[in-house]
Amino acid sequence: MTIRFWLRTNCVHPEATNAPLYCHIRINGVHTNDFSVDLSIPIEFWNAKSQEVNLAHPLAEQLNTAILNEKRKLLRLKEEMEEKQQYVSASILKSKYITYKKQRLQLAKEANAKKSNEPTFFKIMEEFIKKKRKIKHLILPKITTPGKTTGKHFS
C-alpha cells in the first residue's frame, strides 16, 4: 500500500498562498480517486518529494504532525480491517476514512453546542441581578480591556 499527499494547486486562485492537501491511496496496484484531508498547506513551503512542509515555515512542525496523523489514521484503519479479516481496497479504505472524519466533525460540533449552552459569567450575573433587582431588562456597561471592548445587552 502506498499513501501519497499532494497539493491541489489547480483549484486555487493564482494569488493564493495556500492549497488543499489531497491524498492518493494505491493498494495492490489499484488506486482510488484522490480526496482532501481537510488541511490547507502553504504552497511555497510544500516539499512534494518528502511530502512535508519545509521547516522554514513557522508552523511546519504542527502541519507536518497533522499530515503524519492523517497517514497514521489511514494505516490504522487498514490494520483494523485486516484484523477483522475484511477485504481491503483503496476505495473501501477511502470510504472508511471519510466516514471517520465526518464522525469526528459531528462529535466536535456536538461538543461545541454543549459548550455554548453552559452558563457564562454574563448569564450568571444577569440572573443574579435580575433576581436581586426584580427587573426585566438589563444593560451592562461596556467593559474595556487592552485590545478588547465588549458590551452586553440582556432582555
Side-chain angles (χ1 to χ4, degrees), residues 7-23:
L7 291 187
R8 187 169 178 195
T9 55
N10 63 342
C11 70
V12 296
H13 191 275
E15 296 174 15
T17 57
N18 286 7
L21 185 67
Y22 271 64
C23 181

Side-chain angles (χ1 to χ4, degrees), residues 24 84 126 155:
H24 177 89
K84 294 176 184 175
E126 174 191 17
S155 17

Side-chain angles (χ1 to χ4, degrees), residues 49-109:
K49 186 175 182 179
S50 65
Q51 296 184 41
E52 63 183 11
V53 177
N54 293 330
L55 295 177
H57 190 275
L59 298 175
E61 190 174 316
Q62 292 92 330
L63 290 168
N64 289 333
T65 299
I67 295 166
L68 186 58
N69 287 340
E70 299 305 316
K71 187 170 189 170
R72 285 180 181 152
K73 184 58 195 169
L74 285 161
L75 292 170
R76 236 185 340 264
L77 287 169
K78 179 182 180 273
E79 287 172 9
E80 288 171 10
M81 291 171 64
E82 289 172 341
E83 286 173 6
K84 294 176 184 175
Q85 297 182 344
Q86 296 174 336
Y87 176 72
V88 180
S89 71
S91 60
I92 293 172
L93 184 57
K94 171 188 169 182
S95 176
K96 286 201 176 279
Y97 173 82
I98 290 172
T99 300
Y100 164 80
K101 293 285 274 192
K102 285 180 182 176
Q103 289 171 344
R104 290 217 28 203
L105 181 62
Q106 183 61 34
L107 288 174
K109 284 180 182 177

Side-chain angles (χ1 to χ4, degrees), residues 133-151:
R133 305 269 174 148
K134 296 185 176 34
I135 58 175
K136 292 183 181 180
H137 301 286
L138 175 66
I139 299 175
L140 293 178
K142 288 189 177 193
I143 301 169
T144 306
T145 57
K148 287 187 178 180
T149 303
T150 60

Side-chain angles (χ1 to χ4, degrees), residues 13-54:
H13 191 275
E15 296 174 15
T17 57
N18 286 7
L21 185 67
Y22 271 64
C23 181
H24 177 89
I25 301 172
R26 181 178 294 270
I27 298 176
N28 297 329
V30 180
H31 67 90
T32 184
N33 292 337
D34 298 352
F35 57 95
S36 172
V37 294
D38 298 325
L39 290 173
S40 181
I41 304 295
I43 297 168
E44 73 174 272
F45 290 96
W46 177 247
N47 183 328
K49 186 175 182 179
S50 65
Q51 296 184 41
E52 63 183 11
V53 177
N54 293 330

